Amino acid sequence: MERSKIVNLLGSENQVDSVLVKGWVRTRRNSKTFSFIEMNDGSCLKNIQVIADGKLDNYEEIKKLTTGSAAAVTGKMVPSEGGGQKWEIQAESVEIISLAPEDFPLQKKRHTDEFLRTIAHLRPRTNKYGAAFRIRSELAYAIHKFFREKGFRYIHTPIITGSDCEGAGEMFRVTALDLDNLPKADGKADYAADFFGTEASLTVSGQLSAEMLALALGDVYTFGPTFRAENSNTSRHAAEFWMVEPEMAFCDLVGNMDLGEELIQYLIRFVLDNCEDDIGLFAKFVDKQLMKTLENILNNEFVRLPYGEAIGILEKSGKKFEYAVRFGSDLQSEHERYITEEYCKKPVILYNYPESIKPFYMRVNDDGQTVAAMDVLVPGIGEIIGGSQREERADVLSARMAEMGLDKEEYWWYLDSRRFGSVPHSGFGMGFERVLMLMTGIRNIRDVIPFPRTPGNVEF
Ligand code: 4AD
Ligand code: MG
């Protein structure tokens, strides 16, 4: 008999006479003549109740099923008399696949997030983390669905790279462990650097490669892991995170903002429509304001605010910030929070940042002071998207690179794209985990990644 998923059984309109369920025991209680077993198979938040009759052959063993044990149940679906679910299973057989010892750490009680982080290999079996990782999966699907519906091509950009897109020097170097046994790429006698004689790092962003594909295929996006060797001892930064990066040919900053806004709203709507139970858990136990926050984003146009005006607002706010701001300052999260949470009270797209604080590839505006950059900020999370219109003018780009001390020889291919059929183009990067934090109300990035990579977290 084929295994049924609990999600399908509980959602079934009709009674099914013969089912097979395999899963893990959440709880069991015995009455005189029956054992009631709550089973979960990870397909949904809900458990299915299994009623094992004392007349079953191995009833003595069934009575000893512990929390965390694995079992296979065959039986008949019957309407459930208790209030909880529509159906339960009258067991015809209960096969014990493996018995968990009593020291299984996830006994039925509330555990702190801090404790659960120390057992990252087991925490997906809790309601909360099971729900978070199911939403993670749905969200990834929704991203592909969104771009496909809009005619974007999904492209793959390299993980190992020689260029530092953001120019912040926050890269992890790639090192081969056994240099002696590697073929020498350039015939040089020894390895000064570790990628067959060349320096290489893990990518901080797929953007520069994505631009090359946008200039061939039109509208493209990448969606993959990126790496930052920054001090990620905050609740919003991880050393390894996933980024969604659309890049569009023939598109300016306004088109870029429109896409970012549409994408965020689409993802929220998708998750609300498709993950009702899982989102419900977060709205009930993690963030009581969650639905309000999400509806606020769905029902409002994002405020579009030039950086210069934001500085004015911050200066006039009368608030004592830890870091003072003036035109030219990089905004800290306290400033972003003030703008989104206190001043606008809705998502904000800040744009036209000073040239001096942004990377080389952003398009210089006519004022000569600012670049066509944008950051999308949402209440509670802060920056979720960072992007820009790209500098498509070969001469302006060359001059800016020279000014910033970038080696033009290293970027010869990037500059080539501005010589051959250059067009205005734009794109952005959206932090996948930041979106998940928004969707769930989880406020620590370590809790939306199954095995987070932050300082000290590399064991699992
Ligand atoms: O603003 P960032 O640094 O932009 C770029 O890397 C551009 N090259 C993207 C592009 O235009 N294609 O990063 C983009 C987003 C941020 O807004 C944030 O959501 C997320 O990536 N992000 C991080 N998320 C988790 N941990 C970190 N350490 C992150 N750094 C950035
Ligand atoms: Mg940024």
Side-chain angles (χ1 to χ4, degrees), residues 165-166 204-207 228 230 232 236-247 361 375-376 383-388 390 427-434 445:
C165 175
E166 294 306 289
V204 295
S205 160
Q207 177 197 322
R228 303 237 170 145
E230 61 196 333
S232 45
R236 299 189 310 153
H237 293 86
E240 176 178 319
F241 62 98
W242 281 60
M243 214 196 306
V244 182
E245 296 183 274
E247 193 69 36
Y361 55 73
D375 273 4
V376 180
E383 181 188 334
I384 209 163
I385 282 179
S388 68
R390 320 306 188 188
F428 61 77
M430 179 179 76
F432 183 57
E433 284 77 15
R434 301 263 174 103
I445 197 165

Side-chain angles (χ1 to χ4, degrees), residues 171-366:
M171 304 187 85
F172 289 106
R173 280 283 299 280
V174 170
T175 309
L177 286 182
D178 187 0
L179 294 179
D180 294 338
N181 286 325
L182 288 178
K184 294 181 169 50
D186 54 6
K188 282 185 192 153
D190 64 89
Y191 284 90
D194 301 324
F195 187 78
F196 308 108
T198 318
E199 275 184 22
S201 305
L202 298 179
T203 189
V204 295
S205 160
Q207 177 197 322
L208 302 185
S209 324
E211 281 185 58
M212 302 305 113
L213 279 120
L215 293 174
L217 303 184
D219 293 336
V220 300
Y221 72 104
T222 71
F223 179 18
T226 48
F227 306 86
R228 303 237 170 145
E230 61 196 333
N231 175 12
S232 45
N233 256 327
T234 80
S235 57
R236 299 189 310 153
H237 293 86
E240 176 178 319
F241 62 98
W242 281 60
M243 214 196 306
V244 182
E245 296 183 274
E247 193 69 36
M248 297 162 282
F250 313 105
C251 177
D252 63 10
L253 189 65
V254 174
N256 208 20
M257 293 188 203
D258 291 345
L259 187 81
E261 180 167 346
E262 192 183 339
L263 172 61
I264 291 174
Q265 290 182 331
Y266 180 97
L267 296 178
I268 292 178
R269 210 168 293 120
F270 184 93
V271 169
L272 288 179
D273 288 348
N274 292 280
C275 310
E276 206 182 329
D277 285 355
D278 288 331
I279 287 287
L281 174 143
F282 291 102
K284 194 163 169 203
F285 296 113
V286 175
D287 176 6
K288 296 253 186 306
Q289 299 300 311
L290 182 62
M291 288 303 174
K292 255 193 170 160
T293 305
L294 296 179
E295 274 156 25
N296 174 270
I297 299 172
L298 278 182
N299 299 331
N300 283 296
E301 274 182 23
F302 293 12
V303 176
R304 299 182 182 195
L305 191 65
Y307 165 94
E309 279 181 35
I311 294 292
I313 291 168
L314 290 165
E315 283 171 341
K316 282 193 226 109
S317 69
K319 284 213 94 147
K320 278 235 170 320
F321 294 112
E322 196 184 336
Y323 294 92
V325 281
R326 55 176 176 76
F327 192 92
S329 311
D330 215 349
L331 298 185
Q332 306 296 319
S333 75
E334 56 176 342
H335 309 121
E336 296 177 350
R337 292 190 80 126
Y338 176 79
I339 297 280
T340 45
E341 290 167 25
E342 294 185 50
Y343 189 84
C344 296
K345 299 193 166 65
K346 48 181 111 152
V348 178
I349 308 182
L350 287 184
Y351 66 99
N352 289 352
Y353 281 74
E355 179 192 22
S356 57
I357 56 170
K358 289 292 183 187
F360 74 97
Y361 55 73
M362 296 190 177
R363 191 177 197 280
V364 180
N365 288 324
D366 292 344

